[in-house]
Amino acid sequence: MAERNVLICGASIAGPALAFWLKRHGMRPVIVERAPELRTGGQSVDVRGAGKEVLRRMNLEQAIRARTTHEAGLAFVDPRGRVKARISSEALDGKGPTAELEILRGEFARVLYDATREDTEYLFGDRVASLTETGDRVRVGFLHGPEREFDLVIAADGIGSKTRQLVFGDEARIRSLGLYIAYFTIPREPSDDNWARWYNAPGSRSLVLRPDNVGTTRALLTFLSPPRGHERLGQDEQKDVLRRVFADAGWQVPRALAGLAETTDFYFEAIGQVRMPRWSRGRVALVGDAAYCASPISGMGTSLALVGAYVLAGELSRHADHAEAFAAYERVMRPYVAQAQDVPSVAPRLANPKTRAGIALSHTVLRFATAPGVRQLLGRLLTPPAEAIVLPDYGVS
C-alpha cells in the first residue's frame, strides 16, 4: 500500500492522537490548527476505560499521570461555603465525577504534541478554506497558506467544525441539552484546596471551582436556558451575559465574575451533542467531537477522541480502499458512541435545581451517594456509561 498523506484539521486531542497512530502505521500526517500556537488553556478533562487503554498502547499513561490535577473529589457547598455533601474520587468505584486520570486539557494537548511534533508537520495559524476531490486526491485551499493535495482529509476540529460544514453542509444535527457553560481560569486563593466545589444558586445556576496543578483555579459557570444564540456572540458580550445572569447568585460568584476581566482562556459554549448519519464522505472523514460530540456532561469526550483516533488509523492501515476503512471505523465505533451519548435529558435540570427547596433536596440525595438505592441513581446520572467496545489489535505498539 502506498504511503498515505493525510491532512488532519485540529490540534486539540483527537487530531494529534490520530497523527500519532497514522505515523505508527506508516502514513504521513499533517495537522492544520487555526490557533497561532498550541492552545494550552482549558479545563480538566478525564480519561476512562478504553481511552485509558489507548493511552497505555501509546506508552503515554505515565506522562499523563505525572500531570494530573490531583483533585480529591467533588464537594457540594451552600451560600456560606459549608459542605453539604461530598463524592470522593474513590467513590462510586472510582467512576464518579472525578476520574483517576484528571488532567488539564492544555496539559494533555502538550503531551500529545510532544509525542508527535518530531514526525508530524504542524501548520499553526491557518485553516481549511476549500476542499475539492480530484479522483484519488483532495485539493485543499487554505485561508493563508498555499494550496496542497492530500490523499485523505480528517476533520478533528470540534463540535462547531468548519471543515465538517464544508463537506457535509447542514447534515450534522446538534442535540441541545439546554445548558450554557463558561470556562476560565482565576487566581488561586488560600481557601482553595484539592477538592472541587460545586455551588448551586436558585434559578438553575451553578458555579464550580476546580483545583489544578499549576497554581491557579478553574471556574465553570453554568445556567439552564433554551437556545438563545449566546455562543455566537463576541467574548465581551458573552461575559456581559454572565454578569447579568449571575448578578445576585451569591457565594464566590462575585470572585468568579471579577476574574472575567483578566482571564486569558475564556471559553463559552452551548452544551449539545453531534448526531451524524455518517462520518465520512468521499475522501473526508470526521473524528472526535466533530463527528460525535457527547457533551461534557457525558464525561466521555476525551475517551471518545482517543479511541476514535486509534480505530480510524487502525482501519486505514487494514484497508487499501479508504471507503472500506471508513465503513469499518463506523462499525467499530457506533455502539461505543451511542452509549456515550446516552445522556438522560433530565441530567442538566437535576444538576441545576431551580429552587432553594430543589437544591436542599439535591444535597440530601448526594449525602447518601454510596447508599445502594441512591448509588444506582447517581451512577446513571453522574458516571459515564459502561464500556461498549473491545479495542481491536492493529498490530503496532
Side-chain angles (χ1 to χ4, degrees), residues 71-77 83-91 96-99 194-199 207-211 220 366 369 382:
E71 186 174 286
L74 183 58
F76 297 85
V77 301
V83 175
K84 310 303 288 185
R86 290 183 189 266
I87 300 177
S88 73
S89 58
E90 292 82 23
T98 298
N194 64 340
W195 281 82
R197 290 172 293 167
W198 184 314
Y199 167 68
L207 166 65
V208 181
L209 298 178
R210 304 190 72 173
L220 297 85
L366 289 164
L382 293 178

Side-chain angles (χ1 to χ4, degrees), residues 320-349:
D321 184 339
H322 65 277
E324 292 179 2
F326 291 160
Y329 158 62
E330 288 211 33
R331 284 196 300 272
V332 174
M333 287 294 295
R334 281 283 179 184
Y336 185 50
V337 169
Q339 195 159 32
Q341 290 189 329
D342 187 22
V343 175
S345 59
V346 298
R349 294 196 296 277

